[in-house]
Amino acid sequence: MRKPLIAGNWKLHKTLSEAKELAGSLAANLSDVTEVDVVIAPVFTALTSVAEVIQSSPLKLAAQNCYPVETGAFTGEVSPALLKDAGCEYVIIGHSERRQLLDETDHFINLKLIKALEAGLKPILCIGETLQERETDQMLEVLTTQIKGGLANLSATHMAEVVIAYEPVWAIGTGKTASAEQAQEAHSFIRGLLQGLFTKEVALATRILYGGSVKPNNVDGLMAMDDIDGALVGGASLKADDFIRLVRFEK
Ligand code: PEP
């Protein structure tokens, strides 16, 4: 059985005091949640403060990115080991905004994933096609390339710690959600890829989240799908009430 996971990606939002306030509100209102893993990913500068706020709650901390080197002359970068030290359990890797704005490649993303695992972090690997790729029937090819590239050199044992997030780029921050059926089709395809690359057990055990304009009014339909194990949420994770409703999805 795969435990559902709802993750909030706060992106480049929230001052320190706003981040602590939102984390405090979530911690207070989600203290009873045991059947869903709840993860929040504030900006780097808020990580340690938010870690303190949520420390006696079920909420887990994630970083939004990492650099695949432990220490050294890498001005401006943050290593997985330092994120672990700051209280993170998860790290988002390969978000489409980073792929598009910062030209991150599957190879670089794979290096980050390996270093994150070595540091004891659980990577949330983001994949997904653009609108143009979907409309020109390249979706399956793109997902295959991103999965194979992102998960290269990983073992079945590593995969126990890895979470995949399918995020069609055309649905991120646009208000356009993939229908539950479109998302299910992609998730089922991804699970098939995992079976081919690893084992049937790995495919069945790996959590695959959907991301792309998940809101209180569509979360239940998405979560009703067999292969959708949770959500990676941007916009709706910035408001306590909305995010709480997502965590308390109805099946
Ligand atoms: C995201 O940032 O990963 C995301 C899915 O954003 P939104 O929910 O705003 O579409």
Side-chain angles (χ1 to χ4, degrees):
M1 283 305 289
R2 300 181 294 269
K3 186 174 183 185
L5 191 163
I6 305 288
N9 173 13
W10 293 2
K11 307 193 187 188
L12 186 43
H13 294 289
K14 306 283 178 197
T15 62
L16 199 47
S17 61
E18 289 166 349
K20 285 194 282 187
E21 190 186 330
L22 177 55
S25 172
L26 296 176
N29 286 286
L30 294 171
S31 59
D32 61 316
V33 174
T34 52
E35 282 167 16
V36 176
D37 282 334
V38 185
V39 176
I40 52 176
V43 293
F44 283 138
T45 51
L47 285 173
T48 49
S49 302
V50 168
E52 272 179 39
V53 173
I54 64 174
Q55 69 177 344
S56 42
S57 82
L59 273 68
K60 309 286 186 203
L61 194 64
Q64 298 176 17
N65 180 39
C66 65
Y67 194 72
V69 174
E70 199 170 322
T71 179
F74 300 96
T75 304
E77 297 297 343
V78 180
S79 68
L82 293 185
L83 295 175
K84 181 91 180 157
D85 190 42
C88 291
E89 183 171 327
Y90 291 83
V91 57
I92 298 170
I93 295 182
H95 192 280
S96 65
E97 285 151 15
R98 299 195 62 84
R99 290 179 189 260
Q100 294 199 317
L101 299 172
L102 298 158
D103 290 331
E104 289 199 359
T105 63
D106 288 318
H107 175 64
F108 189 49
I109 287 164
N110 176 245
L111 293 180
K112 293 186 193 204
L113 217 110
I114 290 170
K115 290 294 175 190
L117 287 165
E118 281 175 10
L121 289 173
K122 297 175 180 149
I124 301 176
L125 169 66
C126 303
I127 60 168
E129 80 288 356
T130 62
L131 186 58
Q132 192 249 342
E133 288 162 346
R134 175 172 274 259
E135 287 178 348
T136 53
D137 287 332
Q138 295 176 78
M139 175 182 125
L140 302 184
E141 193 186 320
V142 168
L143 296 182
T144 305
T145 304
Q146 291 178 341
I147 282 282
K148 282 191 177 163
L151 301 179
N153 304 311
L154 259 64
S155 66
T157 314
H158 286 132
M159 284 304 293
E161 307 299 326
V162 175
V163 176
I164 309 283
Y166 168 62
E167 301 204 299
V169 179
W170 48 273
I172 297 180
T174 59
K176 286 185 200 159
T177 323
S179 68
E181 291 73 21
Q182 282 174 319
Q184 166 59 28
E185 189 189 357
H187 283 226
S188 161
F189 177 74
I190 293 163
R191 210 174 291 290
L193 287 175
L194 296 177
Q195 178 164 341
L197 284 176
F198 301 98
T199 60
K200 187 169 183 190
E201 289 68 33
V202 166
L204 288 175
T206 303
R207 291 184 288 187
I208 307 176
L209 315 182
Y210 169 76
S213 299
V214 177
K215 308 281 179 207
N217 66 4
N218 59 25
V219 68
D220 300 340
L222 289 160
M223 291 304 294
M225 294 290 138
D226 284 351
D227 288 297
I228 300 184
D229 306 313
L232 178 55
V233 186
S237 72
L238 297 173
K239 290 189 205 132
D241 288 352
D242 283 355
F243 192 65
I244 290 163
R245 174 63 181 84
L246 299 187
V247 172
R248 298 192 188 280
F249 66 89
E250 288 164 19
K251 232 181 172 175

mmCIF file of all heavy atoms in Angstrom, residues 10 14-26 46 48-54:
data_model
loop_
_atom_site.group_PDB
_atom_site.id
_atom_site.type_symbol
_atom_site.label_atom_id
_atom_site.label_comp_id
_atom_site.label_asym_id
_atom_site.label_seq_id
_atom_site.Cartn_x
_atom_site.Cartn_y
_atom_site.Cartn_z
ATOM 1 N N TRP A 10 6.256 26.051 -1.918
ATOM 2 C CA TRP A 10 5.968 27.481 -1.709
ATOM 3 C C TRP A 10 6.700 28.377 -2.713
ATOM 4 O O TRP A 10 6.526 29.585 -2.702
ATOM 5 C CB TRP A 10 6.332 27.886 -0.269
ATOM 6 C CG TRP A 10 5.464 27.254 0.782
ATOM 7 C CD1 TRP A 10 4.450 26.359 0.580
ATOM 8 C CD2 TRP A 10 5.529 27.457 2.199
ATOM 9 N NE1 TRP A 10 3.885 25.989 1.782
ATOM 10 C CE2 TRP A 10 4.528 26.647 2.795
ATOM 11 C CE3 TRP A 10 6.335 28.240 3.037
ATOM 12 C CZ2 TRP A 10 4.311 26.607 4.174
ATOM 13 C CZ3 TRP A 10 6.128 28.194 4.411
ATOM 14 C CH2 TRP A 10 5.121 27.389 4.972
ATOM 15 N N LYS A 14 6.697 34.143 0.450
ATOM 16 C CA LYS A 14 6.668 34.211 1.921
ATOM 17 C C LYS A 14 7.969 34.754 2.530
ATOM 18 O O LYS A 14 9.048 34.193 2.330
ATOM 19 C CB LYS A 14 6.383 32.837 2.572
ATOM 20 C CG LYS A 14 5.127 32.146 2.077
ATOM 21 C CD LYS A 14 3.884 32.737 2.685
ATOM 22 C CE LYS A 14 2.620 32.077 2.147
ATOM 23 N NZ LYS A 14 1.415 32.893 2.422
ATOM 24 N N THR A 15 7.797 35.822 3.300
ATOM 25 C CA THR A 15 8.895 36.310 4.141
ATOM 26 C C THR A 15 9.044 35.325 5.291
ATOM 27 O O THR A 15 8.202 34.426 5.480
ATOM 28 C CB THR A 15 8.542 37.689 4.723
ATOM 29 O OG1 THR A 15 7.374 37.526 5.552
ATOM 30 C CG2 THR A 15 8.263 38.717 3.631
ATOM 31 N N LEU A 16 10.064 35.558 6.100
ATOM 32 C CA LEU A 16 10.285 34.661 7.230
ATOM 33 C C LEU A 16 9.071 34.634 8.164
ATOM 34 O O LEU A 16 8.604 33.558 8.569
ATOM 35 C CB LEU A 16 11.540 35.139 7.979
ATOM 36 C CG LEU A 16 12.235 34.168 8.903
ATOM 37 C CD1 LEU A 16 12.443 32.817 8.255
ATOM 38 C CD2 LEU A 16 13.567 34.766 9.335
ATOM 39 N N SER A 17 8.539 35.815 8.475
ATOM 40 C CA SER A 17 7.411 35.818 9.418
ATOM 41 C C SER A 17 6.166 35.206 8.772
ATOM 42 O O SER A 17 5.413 34.480 9.428
ATOM 43 C CB SER A 17 7.134 37.221 9.963
ATOM 44 O OG SER A 17 6.805 38.078 8.913
ATOM 45 N N GLU A 18 5.963 35.447 7.477
ATOM 46 C CA GLU A 18 4.810 34.829 6.795
ATOM 47 C C GLU A 18 4.954 33.308 6.737
ATOM 48 O O GLU A 18 3.988 32.565 6.915
ATOM 49 C CB GLU A 18 4.690 35.372 5.364
ATOM 50 C CG GLU A 18 4.230 36.821 5.284
ATOM 51 C CD GLU A 18 4.432 37.443 3.907
ATOM 52 O OE1 GLU A 18 5.107 36.841 3.042
ATOM 53 O OE2 GLU A 18 3.931 38.568 3.690
ATOM 54 N N ALA A 19 6.175 32.861 6.497
ATOM 55 C CA ALA A 19 6.417 31.402 6.421
ATOM 56 C C ALA A 19 6.144 30.758 7.778
ATOM 57 O O ALA A 19 5.508 29.695 7.859
ATOM 58 C CB ALA A 19 7.855 31.136 5.973
ATOM 59 N N LYS A 20 6.606 31.402 8.839
ATOM 60 C CA LYS A 20 6.392 30.821 10.175
ATOM 61 C C LYS A 20 4.903 30.812 10.519
ATOM 62 O O LYS A 20 4.394 29.872 11.119
ATOM 63 C CB LYS A 20 7.185 31.617 11.222
ATOM 64 C CG LYS A 20 8.675 31.317 11.169
ATOM 65 C CD LYS A 20 9.420 31.821 12.381
ATOM 66 C CE LYS A 20 9.682 33.300 12.326
ATOM 67 N NZ LYS A 20 10.530 33.791 13.406
ATOM 68 N N GLU A 21 4.203 31.855 10.101
ATOM 69 C CA GLU A 21 2.762 31.932 10.384
ATOM 70 C C GLU A 21 2.011 30.816 9.653
ATOM 71 O O GLU A 21 1.183 30.109 10.242
ATOM 72 C CB GLU A 21 2.243 33.306 9.956
ATOM 73 C CG GLU A 21 0.825 33.567 10.428
ATOM 74 C CD GLU A 21 0.269 34.871 9.871
ATOM 75 O OE1 GLU A 21 1.052 35.812 9.622
ATOM 76 O OE2 GLU A 21 -0.956 34.914 9.671
ATOM 77 N N LEU A 22 2.318 30.647 8.371
ATOM 78 C CA LEU A 22 1.630 29.593 7.598
ATOM 79 C C LEU A 22 1.974 28.212 8.158
ATOM 80 O O LEU A 22 1.084 27.368 8.362
ATOM 81 C CB LEU A 22 2.026 29.689 6.116
ATOM 82 C CG LEU A 22 1.456 28.612 5.180
ATOM 83 C CD1 LEU A 22 -0.074 28.554 5.258
ATOM 84 C CD2 LEU A 22 1.896 28.855 3.732
ATOM 85 N N ALA A 23 3.250 27.995 8.454
ATOM 86 C CA ALA A 23 3.661 26.687 9.004
ATOM 87 C C ALA A 23 2.974 26.437 10.342
ATOM 88 O O ALA A 23 2.523 25.310 10.625
ATOM 89 C CB ALA A 23 5.178 26.645 9.156
ATOM 90 N N GLY A 24 2.866 27.489 11.157
ATOM 91 C CA GLY A 24 2.224 27.343 12.463
ATOM 92 C C GLY A 24 0.757 26.981 12.322
ATOM 93 O O GLY A 24 0.234 26.117 13.047
ATOM 94 N N SER A 25 0.102 27.622 11.364
ATOM 95 C CA SER A 25 -1.313 27.341 11.152
ATOM 96 C C SER A 25 -1.517 25.899 10.647
ATOM 97 O O SER A 25 -2.426 25.183 11.099
ATOM 98 C CB SER A 25 -1.840 28.375 10.149
ATOM 99 O OG SER A 25 -3.115 28.059 9.767
ATOM 100 N N LEU A 26 -0.658 25.470 9.740
ATOM 101 C CA LEU A 26 -0.763 24.089 9.232
ATOM 102 C C LEU A 26 -0.477 23.086 10.352
ATOM 103 O O LEU A 26 -1.183 22.085 10.497
ATOM 104 C CB LEU A 26 0.220 23.874 8.074
ATOM 105 C CG LEU A 26 -0.030 24.707 6.814
ATOM 106 C CD1 LEU A 26 1.069 24.470 5.792
ATOM 107 C CD2 LEU A 26 -1.400 24.404 6.206
ATOM 108 N N ALA A 46 14.003 30.229 4.950
ATOM 109 C CA ALA A 46 12.995 29.967 5.989
ATOM 110 C C ALA A 46 13.084 28.538 6.534
ATOM 111 O O ALA A 46 12.347 28.181 7.456
ATOM 112 C CB ALA A 46 11.598 30.227 5.435
ATOM 113 N N THR A 48 15.172 26.640 8.426
ATOM 114 C CA THR A 48 15.442 26.302 9.838
ATOM 115 C C THR A 48 14.345 26.847 10.754
ATOM 116 O O THR A 48 13.972 26.192 11.726
ATOM 117 C CB THR A 48 16.830 26.806 10.289
ATOM 118 O OG1 THR A 48 16.956 28.165 9.900
ATOM 119 C CG2 THR A 48 17.951 25.988 9.678
ATOM 120 N N SER A 49 13.831 28.030 10.425
ATOM 121 C CA SER A 49 12.758 28.590 11.261
ATOM 122 C C SER A 49 11.491 27.745 11.155
ATOM 123 O O SER A 49 10.828 27.468 12.162
ATOM 124 C CB SER A 49 12.425 30.022 10.832
ATOM 125 O OG SER A 49 13.567 30.808 10.908
ATOM 126 N N VAL A 50 11.155 27.336 9.937
ATOM 127 C CA VAL A 50 9.960 26.504 9.753
ATOM 128 C C VAL A 50 10.175 25.137 10.411
ATOM 129 O O VAL A 50 9.254 24.575 11.023
ATOM 130 C CB VAL A 50 9.601 26.377 8.249
ATOM 131 C CG1 VAL A 50 8.548 25.294 8.025
ATOM 132 C CG2 VAL A 50 9.102 27.712 7.704
ATOM 133 N N ALA A 51 11.398 24.631 10.353
ATOM 134 C CA ALA A 51 11.696 23.337 11.004
ATOM 135 C C ALA A 51 11.345 23.413 12.491
ATOM 136 O O ALA A 51 10.767 22.468 13.048
ATOM 137 C CB ALA A 51 13.166 22.973 10.812
ATOM 138 N N GLU A 52 11.681 24.517 13.121
ATOM 139 C CA GLU A 52 11.369 24.667 14.556
ATOM 140 C C GLU A 52 9.865 24.705 14.790
ATOM 141 O O GLU A 52 9.350 24.089 15.714
ATOM 142 C CB GLU A 52 11.974 25.967 15.087
ATOM 143 C CG GLU A 52 13.400 25.809 15.566
ATOM 144 C CD GLU A 52 13.981 27.117 16.063
ATOM 145 O OE1 GLU A 52 13.251 27.886 16.720
ATOM 146 O OE2 GLU A 52 15.154 27.370 15.758
ATOM 147 N N VAL A 53 9.163 25.442 13.922
ATOM 148 C CA VAL A 53 7.709 25.590 14.091
ATOM 149 C C VAL A 53 6.989 24.239 13.971
ATOM 150 O O VAL A 53 6.030 23.978 14.692
ATOM 151 C CB VAL A 53 7.139 26.593 13.052
ATOM 152 C CG1 VAL A 53 5.621 26.644 13.095
ATOM 153 C CG2 VAL A 53 7.725 27.972 13.258
ATOM 154 N N ILE A 54 7.462 23.385 13.064
ATOM 155 C CA ILE A 54 6.718 22.127 12.803
ATOM 156 C C ILE A 54 7.306 20.924 13.537
ATOM 157 O O ILE A 54 6.843 19.798 13.352
ATOM 158 C CB ILE A 54 6.647 21.811 11.285
ATOM 159 C CG1 ILE A 54 8.035 21.556 10.676
ATOM 160 C CG2 ILE A 54 5.922 22.928 10.548
ATOM 161 C CD1 ILE A 54 7.987 21.093 9.215
#
